[in-house]
Amino acid sequence: ENAENMYFFSELALTLNEPEERVAPTDSRLRPDQRLMESGRWDEANVEKQRLEEKQRAVRRRREAEAVEALEEGKEYEGYIPLWFERKVDAVTGELICVYKGGYWEAKDKQDWSVCPDIF
């Protein structure tokens, strides 16, 4: 109903970005730039988006510097390790895939997000 006014998106597509309580602080629905954009505050959203992107670049530069330092010292460097997924090679396709490794739902039940990085 009323799809022509909603860019012909399905009901599912329209609700994918709806806020949800008790999610991880890293949930993309919590992105402050996105929330500003959705409320029509375009200029503020753009400034916030640029701040977030620079924050991401700074983290990447720090990781790259740590990798170089580890290499110079002859040490192993693991780099970024996803919290809830692990990378594996699909046995059938040979493609690199991400497989859920557990922990998210338990953290959500306990509301213990202490392992989550500050990405926003």
Side-chain angles (χ1 to χ4, degrees), residues 41-82:
R41 297 162 61 188
W42 297 101
D43 291 338
E44 292 171 73
N46 190 47
V47 169
E48 183 62 17
K49 181 176 181 279
Q50 290 178 9
R51 183 192 69 81
L52 290 174
E53 289 173 346
E54 183 51 41
K55 185 173 184 175
Q56 291 170 351
R57 287 185 198 102
V59 169
R60 185 193 70 230
R61 287 190 296 266
R62 181 182 49 81
R63 285 188 183 133
E64 288 171 349
E66 289 171 355
V68 168
E69 185 178 324
L71 180 65
E72 289 172 349
E73 295 175 3
K75 297 178 181 176
E76 291 287 322
Y77 180 74
E78 288 188 30
Y80 175 74
I81 300 171

Side-chain angles (χ1 to χ4, degrees), residues 3 17 19 36 50 69 87 92 98 100:
N17 204 37
L36 288 165
Q50 290 178 9
E69 185 178 324
R87 294 182 178 114
V92 175
C98 293
Y100 178 65

